[in-house]
Amino acid sequence: MTRRLILISAAGILAIFLALPVATLLGRAVGSGGLVAAVGSPAVLAALSLSLATTAASLCLIVLFGTPLAFVLARRRFRGSGLVETVVDLPLVLPPSVAGLALLLVFGRRGLLGGALDAFGITIPFTALAVILAQVFVAAPFYVRAARAGIAGVPRDLEDAARADGASEAGVFRHVMVPLALPALGAGLVMSWARSLGEFGATILFAGNFAGRTQTLPLVVYAELGSADLEAAIAAATVLVLAAVGVLVAVRLARRGRAVDLASAG
Amino acid sequence: MTRAPSWPAAGILALTAVAVLAACGSAIATSGTTGRTVLTVFAAASLADALAATESYRSATDTTIVLSTDSSTTLRTQIEQGAAADAFLAADTANPDTLAAAGLVDGDVVPFAGTLLAIVVPSANPAGIASPFDLARPGIKVVAAGARVPISSYAMTLLENLATLPGAPAGFVAGYAANVVSHEDNVRAALAKVELGEADAAIVYASDAAASSAVRTIAISAQANVVATYAAVVPTTAVAPAAGHAFIKWLAGPDGQAALARFGFEPAP
């Protein structure tokens, strides 16, 4: 009985510790009454539309280049594939400020590639493009990992059967692999989006902070705190919390859908 | 069926928990076990170097200074939210005055230093900026601090002064504003973007410009330049208010003024 009590209270302490700050934030947001006005303030609205536009662009890039990478990692064994996997996983554990500094050293005006880009009249820092690059850098691993696992989980014999029936490689990919891996791809995409939306450290270092141009929602939280406007900071934070909760619910539903699929298939 | 954990498993769990707590506890406690006075100072980012070089005060008074630097406005918000600071050294008088008006200050607002403003460009000066008026030239990338960071109100006064000088281009202030590519969190972050060469210019404090070897300054005529006043208070959140008052007194006194002067600061105007 006591053992059980200790176990439950120890488990409860961390659960409460994790829940309390977010619950308090939402409580403040609702209790202040000014939430709607604060969400509708120009700074928050501009940041919201910038966040939606940049994360959409980031997701397109991540799917476009992440799917082939996930396919190669899932289906091809080659010398150095372990190294590639490590490189893909690295941004997951790297502090975002390190990512921002590293991006600056590559794409900055005096960076490795920045000088060459500058010659073509392209400067990346302080632009929405820098926001997108920062998001892709930190968020792509979530999609690539999920997609790799999803593609690896597609039974080979189903593909072979499709080939035996005369399907082309592109047909196998489109009609067998993608539909079967779809829940995993979707879950990875949603997690990737959430990470892009929440991206802060790399963005503020690499893209700077300019309302309407590079100031995304997480930057509003920080900037408004710096200008002593707690209400606007709480409003922007609330939008981010709601988006994050939405993402987790979506991922759970996608997983449940997948479990049902497998059960009915089996 | 789930079972309660067996005794050995529970024992290992408990031992691990104790070990982790002990490690965390000792890590947290190391800062306070020396018996020295621990003085927590919240200071404007531009004071970072000058305060890091206060060994004489630390050794003479047996004090450990714990320093937190950021924009004065960010620090003021943190104090309003209850952050414990024994001394708050702001790059303006407005932020300490706001705390005082809210009844969050113990004692007086003490002006203790001043500094002129400076226009900095990367050492190589890629944009070829030769005069303050070039800040409004189309295509120049300027970094500024956020609207409510103290440097920004001083910079606005400077820009307005510059605009009244003979030879000032029409729409100088608007031209400058159009060239701003980022509003950094504090003046040091703006300086860093110029040091990295990502920005062509920034308006910072003369003391910041003096502290950096990667930038050079563009001369500002004395009649247009602005003196920033730094002011200190002991917040009511102080854990060691006496130590806070003693430190501010030292800063405003001859030894503190000499220490600040080495980093390009002047007496308070």
Side-chain angles (χ1 to χ4, degrees):
Chain A
M1 200 55 217
T2 25
R3 271 182 289 160
R4 180 170 236 182
L5 208 64
I6 290 168
L7 181 69
I8 289 171
S9 49
I13 285 170
L14 186 59
I16 290 168
F17 175 72
L18 294 177
L20 190 63
V22 179
T24 307
L25 176 75
L26 292 178
R28 272 291 288 267
V30 174
S32 74
L35 182 64
V36 176
V39 168
S41 76
V44 176
L45 277 185
L48 183 62
S49 70
L50 181 73
S51 277
L52 291 177
T54 52
T55 52
S58 298
L59 280 198
C60 289
L61 289 173
I62 289 170
V63 171
L64 200 61
F65 295 100
T67 314
L69 180 57
F71 180 82
V72 169
L73 288 174
R75 284 297 158 86
R76 303 267 192 279
R77 286 290 100 186
F78 54 92
R79 190 182 296 237
S81 62
L83 181 68
V84 175
E85 283 182 13
T86 308
V87 167
V88 168
D89 288 349
L90 198 57
L92 293 175
V93 288
L94 218 52
S97 56
V98 174
L101 185 59
L103 284 167
L104 209 50
L105 294 180
V106 175
F107 296 105
R109 287 208 297 188
R110 283 191 203 156
L112 188 65
L113 305 176
L117 290 170
D118 214 27
F120 290 103
I122 304 169
T123 45
I124 294 176
F126 309 122
T127 64
L129 185 56
V131 176
I132 293 167
L133 290 185
Q135 288 172 352
V136 170
F137 188 87
V138 300
F142 288 90
Y143 176 74
V144 174
R145 281 172 67 100
R148 181 183 64 193
I151 292 170
V154 175
R156 273 270 164 97
D157 40 352
L158 281 181
E159 294 172 32
D160 291 340
R163 278 189 202 99
D165 290 342
S168 64
E169 283 307 312
V172 170
F173 183 76
R174 256 185 62 199
H175 299 297
V176 178
M177 191 171 296
V178 169
L180 283 174
L182 206 56
L185 299 185
L189 207 57
V190 169
M191 291 302 287
S192 242
W193 179 71
R195 182 64 188 87
S196 300
L197 188 68
E199 168 35 48
F200 170 74
T203 308
I204 202 160
L205 252 92
F206 181 46
N209 175 44
F210 194 97
R213 216 181 291 165
T214 64
Q215 190 182 65
T216 54
L217 278 174
L219 270 65
V220 169
V221 176
Y222 191 63
E224 294 298 335
L225 213 57
S227 48
D229 189 351
L230 210 53
E231 290 308 317
I234 289 175
T238 305
V239 174
L240 288 168
V241 169
L242 295 179
V245 171
V247 160
L248 292 180
V249 170
V251 168
R252 285 195 90 104
L253 288 179
R255 290 222 175 105
R256 190 175 299 169
R258 193 180 178 207
V260 171
D261 280 351
L262 290 179
S264 59
Chain B
M1 284 300 286
T2 45
R3 282 182 344 120
S6 66
W7 272 116
I12 290 167
L13 200 67
L15 275 178
T16 313
V18 168
V20 168
L21 286 178
C24 300
S26 69
I28 292 164
T30 39
S31 52
T33 50
T34 49
R36 294 160 62 99
T37 308
V38 176
L39 178 70
T40 304
V41 177
F42 279 27
S46 46
L47 287 166
D49 296 324
L51 291 178
T54 49
E55 295 90 4
S56 62
Y57 181 82
R58 297 170 199 229
S59 53
T61 57
D62 205 20
T63 300
T64 301
I65 294 182
V66 179
L67 195 57
S68 173
T69 58
D70 208 323
S71 142
S72 303
T73 312
T74 300
L75 296 171
R76 193 246 295 172
T77 308
Q78 290 172 351
I79 292 168
E80 285 170 344
Q81 293 301 312
D86 299 321
F88 170 41
L89 315 181
D92 60 4
T93 50
N95 278 302
D97 283 344
T98 305
L99 281 185
L104 292 172
V105 160
D106 173 30
D108 297 325
V109 176
V110 183
F112 67 93
T115 180
L116 288 163
L117 301 196
I119 295 169
V120 289
V121 298
S123 300
N125 196 3
I129 291 169
S131 106
F133 297 141
D134 288 339
L135 293 183
R137 212 170 63 204
I140 300 290
K141 286 187 190 305
V142 177
V143 283
R148 305 217 207 151
V149 179
I151 183 78
S152 295
S153 55
Y154 295 127
M156 186 45 70
T157 309
L158 170 64
L159 292 166
E160 283 163 357
N161 291 350
L162 286 169
T164 64
L165 292 182
F172 171 69
V173 177
Y176 168 89
N179 283 343
V180 172
V181 292
S182 180
H183 291 115
E184 299 292 318
D185 179 53
N186 61 60
V187 64
R188 282 301 169 96
L191 177 68
K193 290 280 166 37
V194 177
E195 289 175 327
L196 282 165
E198 297 303 340
D200 297 321
I203 297 173
V204 300
Y205 298 113
S207 49
D208 294 316
S212 171
S213 58
V215 298
R216 51 193 181 104
T217 57
I218 303 300
I220 301 172
S221 75
Q223 64 191 102
N225 210 334
V226 176
V227 182
T229 305
Y230 285 62
V233 289
V234 175
T236 50
T237 59
V239 175
H245 282 297
F247 182 62
I248 291 171
K249 198 175 167 201
W250 177 82
L251 265 185
D255 292 343
Q257 292 295 300
L260 287 167
R262 284 208 304 280
F263 289 87
F265 289 97
E266 302 176 13

